[in-house]
C-alpha cells in the first residue's frame, strides 16, 4: 500500500508543469554555460590569447563543468545563485495546497497520516534532487561533445581556482569522472533535503508565495552572513551557506563538517515539523 502511495505522489511530482518549468530553466542555464565554455576553449582559451597554449586540462570538459565553473563564471554563478529557489518550485508547496483544497483530509481517511506525509516527503526529495542533477549532467554531456575529457592538471590550477582546502580536490585531479559522480550525488541529496525542509515549513507558513520567497531570501541572508562574518571577525572560517555547498566555487571552499551538519540539521527539523503536523487536526 505504501508503494502505491509513493507511486501516486511521484506521478504528481514529476508530471506537474512546475517541475518541467524548473527543469527547463536549469537545463537552459546549463546549456548556455556549456556553450560559453566551449567558445572560450576555441576562442583562445582562458588567457584570451590564440598564441598561448594552456593544455587540454585547464579548459577540458571536466575543468569547464558548471560546478567547477572554469570556462564560464557568469552563467554558472547565476545557475547556483538561483538554485536554492529552483529546487523548491516543483513540489514543495503541494502540502499546503492540498490542505486548502481539502484533498489531504480525504487522503487521511484511507491512509495513515504517517504514510501520507512520508510519501509526500519522498516525492519532494526526489523531484528537488532531479531538478539539480539533470542540469549538471546535461552540462557535462554537452561539454564532452565538443571538448576533450582530459584529466585536469595541477599545474593549470591558476586558471581553475580549485583550492587545496576544497573537499575532493585530489579526486578532481586523479579521477575527475568519479569527482563528477560524487558531487552530483551530494547535490541531489542536498537539494532533496532542502526541498523536504521547505515542505515541512509549509506546515507553518500557509502562504505558498511566502514559503518559496521566504525560504530563498533566508538562504540569501545566510549566504551574506557567511561571506562577511569571518571577514569581519578576521578569522579563518568555513562555508555553511547553502548557495556555496552546492558547488566548489572560486572564492570559497567546502569542508566535510558543514557539508554533513547542514543537511542533517535540516532533515531533523523537517522530521520534527512533519511529526507535529501529523498530530494536527485539519478539520
Amino acid at each position: 500500500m505504501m508503494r502505491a502511495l509513493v507511486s501516486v505522489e511521484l506521478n504528481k511530482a514529476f508530471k506537474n508543469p512546475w517541475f518541467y518549468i524548473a527543469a527547463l530553466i536549469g537545463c537552459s542555464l546549463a546549456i548556455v554555460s556549456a556553450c560559453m565554455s566551449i567558445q572560450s576553449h576555441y576562442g583562445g582559451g582562458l588567457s584570451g590569447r590564440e598564441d598561448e597554449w594552456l593544455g587540454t586540462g585547464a579548459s577540458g570538459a571536466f575543468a569547464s563543468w558548471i560546478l567547477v565553473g572554469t570556462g564560464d563564471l557568469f552563467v554558472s554563478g547565476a545557475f547556483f545563485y538561483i538554485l536554492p529557489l529552483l529546487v523548491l518550485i516543483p513540489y514543495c508547496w503541494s502540502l499546503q495546497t492540498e490542505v486548502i483544497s481539502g484533498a489531504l483530509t480525504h487522503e487521511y481517511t484511507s491512509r495513515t497520516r504517517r504514510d501520507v506525509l512520508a510519501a509526500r516527503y519522498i516525492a519532494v526529495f526526489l523531484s528537488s534532487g532531479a531538478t539539480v542533477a539533470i542540469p549538471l549532467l546535461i552540462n557535462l554531456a554537452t561539454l564532452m561533445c565538443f571538448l576533450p575529457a582530459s584529466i585536469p592538471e595541477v599545474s593549470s590550477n591558476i586558471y581553475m581556482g580549485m583550492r587545496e582546502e576544497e573537499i575532493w580536490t585530489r579526486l578532481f585531479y586523479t579521477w575527475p569522472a568519479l569527482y563528477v559522480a560524487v558531487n552530483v550525488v551530494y547535490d541531489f541529496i542536498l537539494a532533496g533535503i532542502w526541498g523536504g525542509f521547505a515542505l515541512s515549513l509549509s506546515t507553518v507558513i500557509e502562504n505558498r508565495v511566502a514559503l518559496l520567497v521566504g525560504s530563498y531570501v533566508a538562504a540569501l541572508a545566510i549566504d551574506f552572513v557567511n561571506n562577511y562574518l569571518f571577514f569581519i571577525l578576521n578569522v579563518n572560517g568555513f562555508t555553511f551557506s547553502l548557495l556555496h555547498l552546492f558547488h566548489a566555487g572560486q572564492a570559497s571552499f567546502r569542508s566535510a563538517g558543514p557539508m554533513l551538519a547542514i543537511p542533517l540539521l535540516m532533515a531533523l527539523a523537517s522530521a520534527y515539523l512533519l511529526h507535529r503536523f501529523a498530530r494536527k487536526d485539519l478539520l
Side-chain angles (χ1 to χ4, degrees), residues 17-238:
W18 290 110
F19 173 74
Y20 295 122
I21 290 171
L24 180 62
I25 293 172
C27 290
S28 298
L29 289 173
I31 292 173
V32 171
S33 175
C35 290
M36 293 185 70
S37 294
I38 293 166
Q39 183 182 23
S40 174
H41 177 85
Y42 290 105
L46 301 174
S47 68
R49 294 177 52 183
E50 296 182 357
D51 60 345
E52 184 175 342
W53 172 246
L54 302 180
T56 57
S59 59
F62 293 114
S64 300
W65 188 35
I66 190 170
L67 191 139
V68 180
T70 301
D72 158 53
L73 296 178
F74 179 74
V75 180
S76 63
F79 172 78
F80 286 105
Y81 193 79
I82 68 169
L83 191 58
L85 175 62
L86 209 59
V87 301
L88 300 182
I89 293 175
Y91 204 50
C92 77
W93 42 264
S94 60
L95 186 62
Q96 192 56 233
T97 300
E98 294 192 1
V99 169
I100 295 172
S101 67
L104 189 65
T105 304
H106 177 72
E107 279 191 75
Y108 280 173
T109 61
S110 57
R111 303 283 194 278
T112 66
R113 295 188 174 197
R114 180 179 178 181
D115 286 350
V116 170
L117 294 177
R120 183 63 55 92
Y121 185 92
I122 291 171
V124 169
F125 181 91
L126 294 178
S127 59
S128 294
T131 304
V132 62
I134 293 172
L136 291 179
L137 294 174
I138 286 180
N139 175 265
L140 184 63
T142 304
L143 290 169
M144 285 188 163
C145 290
F146 299 93
L147 301 181
S150 307
I151 296 177
E153 302 159 347
V154 178
S155 58
S156 300
N157 192 47
I158 185 175
Y159 300 105
M160 291 179 284
M162 181 65 69
R163 296 180 58 171
E164 182 180 353
E165 301 92 340
E166 166 69 18
I167 193 171
W168 303 318
T169 298
R170 183 180 296 274
L171 204 60
F172 177 70
Y173 288 114
T174 53
W175 296 94
L178 186 56
Y179 176 83
V180 168
V182 169
N183 274 281
V184 169
V185 170
Y186 178 79
D187 280 10
F188 183 98
I189 294 173
L190 180 61
I193 292 176
W194 170 239
F197 181 56
L199 173 73
S200 68
L201 288 177
S202 71
T203 64
V204 180
I205 305 173
E206 296 183 357
N207 187 290
R208 287 160 289 181
V209 176
L211 172 68
L212 295 177
V213 176
S215 299
Y216 181 56
V217 170
L220 294 181
I222 293 173
D223 182 63
F224 180 82
V225 172
N226 194 179
N227 289 336
Y228 293 100
L229 175 63
F230 298 116
F231 175 77
I232 294 173
L233 296 177
N234 194 28
V235 296
N236 292 326
F238 55 88

